[in-house]
Amino acid sequence: MLEIESKVIDENIQGTALASEVNAQAEKKFYIESYGCAMNFNDSEIIASILHEVGYGATKDIEEANLILINTCSIRDKAEQTVRHRLMHFKGFKKRNRTMLVGVMGCMAERLKEKLLEEEKLVDIVMGPDSYRTLPALIAEAESGQKSVNVLLSRDETYADINPVRLDGNGVSSFVSITRGCNNMCSFCVVPFTRGRERSRDADSIVREARELFENGYREVTLLGQNVDSYRWENEQTNELVTFANLMERVALIDPLLRVRFSTSHPKDITDEVLHVIARHDNICNYIHLPIQSGSTRILQLMNRTYTKEWYLHKVKRIMEIIPGCGLSTDIITGFCTETEEDHQETIDIVKQCKFDLAYMYAYSERPGTLAARRYADDIPEEVKSSRLSEIIDVHRINSHNSNLADVGKTYDVLVEGPSKKNSDDYCGRTDKNKMVVFAKGTSQKCDYVKVLITGCTSGTLLGEIVE
Ligand code: SAH
Ligand code: SF4
Ligand code: F3S
C-alpha cells in the first residue's frame, strides 16, 4: 500500500494530526491522529465526515477536544508500540478533562478488540475499520458511562456514499479508496485479519468522487486498494462488469489535467490490459508500486505470495516493454522465517537488477495469528535482520541516486504541491514517475503544471528550475 511519506525508508509508521477548519463553530470538537497506510488516512476522512454530520468540528488542539480518536495500524509491532505511546500521552489530557472520550479505531482496534479497554482504563470506544457508521451511537453509549466496542467486519461495507472530509490535505492530491479488505493470505500479513474480506466499491461513486475532487481544484487522485488489480464491480442495472483497467480509464477520462495514480499492484495479478491503459492515457502516471517482498522463490513460497522470482522479473519486463521508462517501486521484508544468507543475496540481486526508484524496506515482525506465526518459527536474530536490512538499503540508495543523477539535464512536467519543507521560497512537486522535485517557485502556484529542468539531485530528491 502506498506510503504516506515517500522519503521514509525504514519505517512507514508515522502519525499526522489531521484537523482543519471544518465545522470550526461546532460546539463539540474531535481531535484525530492517523497511523499506517494511505487507506487508514483515507478512513480518517470518512470518520471526519460521519462526525461532521452529527455536529462535531475538528480541532488540532487536544486540550479543547471532547473526543480524541487514534486511527491505528498493526502491520508491525513497532506500529502498535507507537500507538501505545500516544495513548499514554493522552492520559494526561483525560486526567484534566474527565468528560473527554478516547476512541481507538482501525487495525489495532480490530486485532485487539475489548483488550484495548484494559489499557489503563483510558480507552472508551473501540472500533474496527468496518464499523465507523456506528460511531455516533458508540459515542452516545460512552457518554452514558458505558465502554463501547464495535469490531464487526463486513462483507459489503465500502462507505461508497460517504463523501470524505479532506483534512489537512494539500488541496492538490487526494486518495480515493476503491476496494477494502484483502483476500490474499500472505503468511506474514495481519491485514486480512484486521480489514476482512475484499470488496470493491461502486464504480460510479468512485468516478463521481474523483470528478468532484477535480472540480474542487484537485489535480491528482490515487486509487487505493490492498490489491487494486482484483477490483471488480458489476452494475446491477446494466450488468456491465468494471475491471480495474476499465475503472482507471474512466477516471482518466474525467479530464486530461487530472493525474491518476494507484496503489498497490500485486505481481500475481497485474495484467497487460492495465499496462496498456496506462500507456494509452498521458494523465495516468507512469509509475507502479509492485512489492516483491523477497528475491528468493523459496521464501516467496513460504510467504504465500504465489509468484516466483522469475515471474516477478517477467512482469517488470512487460511493464518496461509496454510503458518504456516506467517508474517502479517496491516493498521488501528482510529476515523472514528461515531466510538464509543465499536467500538474502537473491534479494540483493533483484534490487540490483530492477533498480527500483523507491523501495520501502522492513525487518520482518511476527504478527500474532498470521499464518507465518502459526506455522514457522521467527528464527532470524534481530541483529541479522537489521544488518541484512542495512545492506539492502545501501544497494537501493546507490540505485536511486544513480537514477536521480540520470535525470539531471532532463525536463519534466511537475505538478506543484506547495512550499518545500526546507525553504518556503522553494516549491516542491512530483514528476509523473513520482519523483519529488524542489525548485524556485517563481510565479507558479499550487496545482499548476510546470516544466522543470533538473539541475541537480540528492539521493532522495531532484532539484531544478522552472523553464516554462
Ligand atoms: N497490500 C500491499 C501491502 C500492504 S502492507 C501488498 O500486497 O503489497 C505494506 C508492506 O508492509 C508490505 O508490502 C510488506 O512489505 C510490509 N509488511 C507487511 N507485514 C509485515 C510484517 N509482518 N513484517 C514486516 N513487514 C511487513
Ligand atoms: Fe497483506 Fe498480502 Fe493482502 Fe498485501 S496482498 S494486504 S501483503 S495479505
Ligand atoms: Fe494499513 Fe496498517 Fe491496517 S498498513 S491496512 S493501517 S495494518
Side-chain angles (χ1 to χ4, degrees), residues 371-440:
L371 288 182
R374 283 183 270 145
R375 282 188 196 157
Y376 317 119
D378 179 11
D379 57 355
I380 307 301
E382 290 308 314
E383 36 322 336
V384 176
K385 286 181 188 171
S386 53
S387 79
R388 288 181 184 167
L389 181 61
S390 315
E391 257 183 79
I392 296 173
I393 291 174
D394 288 346
V395 176
H396 165 67
R397 283 222 173 111
I398 295 170
N399 282 343
S400 68
H401 196 204
N402 285 341
S403 151
N404 283 355
L405 282 173
D407 284 332
V408 175
K410 294 183 183 157
T411 301
Y412 288 106
D413 287 320
V414 172
L415 173 59
V416 182
E417 290 185 11
S420 94
K421 274 188 199 147
K422 290 196 182 137
N423 178 353
S424 58
D425 287 336
D426 287 341
Y427 270 177
C428 63
R430 283 171 205 276
T431 67
D432 165 89
K433 297 197 177 85
N434 207 23
K435 288 193 181 177
M436 187 57 94
V437 190
V438 174
F439 48 93

Side-chain angles (χ1 to χ4, degrees), residues 40 43 47 70-73 104-111 127-129 132 194-195:
N40 235 27
D43 278 2
I47 293 166
I70 179 160
N71 198 359
T72 61
C73 175
V104 182
M105 349 272 292
C107 291
M108 192 174 163
E110 189 62 51
R111 195 178 84 71
M127 307 193 78
Y132 298 143
T194 60
R195 295 240 158 207

Side-chain angles (χ1 to χ4, degrees), residues 72-74 77 79-81 83-84 87 104-119 126-129 149 151 190 193-194 367-368:
T72 61
C73 175
S74 280
D77 183 56
E80 294 199 352
Q81 295 312 329
V83 169
R84 289 184 197 284
L87 284 174
V104 182
M105 349 272 292
C107 291
M108 192 174 163
E110 189 62 51
R111 195 178 84 71
L112 293 171
K113 305 184 170 52
E114 288 81 3
K115 283 192 204 129
L116 277 168
L117 296 176
E118 292 153 20
E119 299 274 326
V126 177
M127 307 193 78
V149 179
V151 286
V190 77
F193 304 95
T194 60
R367 308 311 294 128

Side-chain angles (χ1 to χ4, degrees), residues 30-271:
F30 72 96
Y31 169 92
I32 186 164
E33 274 181 23
S34 305
Y35 293 83
C37 65
M39 185 73 83
N40 235 27
F41 279 69
N42 193 224
D43 278 2
S44 291
E45 300 182 329
I46 289 169
I47 293 166
S49 175
I50 291 167
L51 285 172
H52 184 53
E53 285 296 308
V54 293
Y56 271 85
T59 178
K60 279 183 179 170
D61 178 4
I62 309 188
E63 215 59 80
E64 70 163 13
N66 308 89
L67 174 65
I68 298 180
L69 295 175
I70 179 160
N71 198 359
T72 61
C73 175
S74 280
I75 201 81
R76 286 169 287 277
D77 183 56
K78 201 168 163 189
E80 294 199 352
Q81 295 312 329
T82 308
V83 169
R84 289 184 197 284
H85 284 131
R86 290 308 291 161
L87 284 174
M88 283 298 115
H89 177 71
F90 297 151
K91 217 174 151 185
F93 293 95
K94 191 155 169 154
K95 263 199 189 132
R96 286 196 288 282
N97 175 1
R98 296 246 167 231
T99 61
M100 180 187 267
L101 297 177
V102 175
V104 182
M105 349 272 292
C107 291
M108 192 174 163
E110 189 62 51
R111 195 178 84 71
L112 293 171
K113 305 184 170 52
E114 288 81 3
K115 283 192 204 129
L116 277 168
L117 296 176
E118 292 153 20
E119 299 274 326
E120 310 272 335
K121 308 226 177 309
L122 171 78
V123 178
D124 303 288
I125 300 171
V126 177
M127 307 193 78
D130 286 345
S131 58
Y132 298 143
R133 282 181 204 271
T134 61
L135 179 55
L138 294 202
I139 293 174
E141 221 172 275
E143 277 172 345
S144 73
Q146 269 175 301
K147 302 274 177 190
S148 52
V149 179
N150 187 349
V151 286
L152 285 177
L153 286 173
S154 157
R155 279 181 175 262
D156 48 25
E157 178 63 273
T158 59
Y159 301 109
D161 57 315
I162 295 183
N163 217 354
V165 168
R166 308 293 167 186
L167 294 163
D168 265 13
N170 58 8
V172 181
S173 179
S174 184
F175 299 122
V176 176
S177 295
I178 65 165
T179 64
R180 294 185 74 82
C182 184
N183 282 356
N184 293 322
M185 273 288 171
C186 301
S187 61
F188 52 80
C189 185
V190 77
V191 173
F193 304 95
T194 60
R195 295 240 158 207
R197 304 291 293 170
E198 181 189 276
R199 61 226 98 119
S200 295
R201 175 179 166 192
D202 176 333
D204 295 334
S205 79
I206 296 169
V207 177
R208 205 177 314 123
E209 185 176 325
R211 182 174 294 116
E212 277 174 19
L213 283 165
F214 181 74
E215 285 164 358
N216 287 322
Y218 285 79
R219 289 296 171 262
E220 184 174 272
V221 290
T222 303
L223 306 178
L224 290 182
Q226 295 299 348
N227 181 8
V228 287
D229 304 289
S230 60
Y231 178 88
R232 274 173 86 85
W233 181 77
E234 199 177 326
N235 185 323
E236 279 172 13
Q237 270 101 51
T238 61
N239 289 338
E240 177 205 11
L241 179 71
V242 183
T243 63
F244 178 58
N246 307 143
L247 176 75
M248 197 155 54
E249 186 143 48
R250 283 181 61 182
V251 176
L253 288 171
I254 291 173
D255 196 288
L257 286 178
L258 181 68
R259 269 188 177 176
V260 185
R261 298 189 184 276
F262 53 95
S263 187
T264 300
S265 305
H266 196 299
K268 78 177 162 61
D269 292 322
I270 189 166
T271 61

Side-chain angles (χ1 to χ4, degrees), residues 301-318:
Q301 269 165 359
L302 293 183
M303 287 177 163
N304 203 20
R305 289 290 286 183
T306 73
Y307 53 84
T308 59
K309 175 185 189 179
E310 289 70 30
W311 173 278
Y312 186 89
L313 288 171
H314 174 72
K315 284 289 171 187
V316 172
K317 188 162 158 268
R318 282 308 281 159

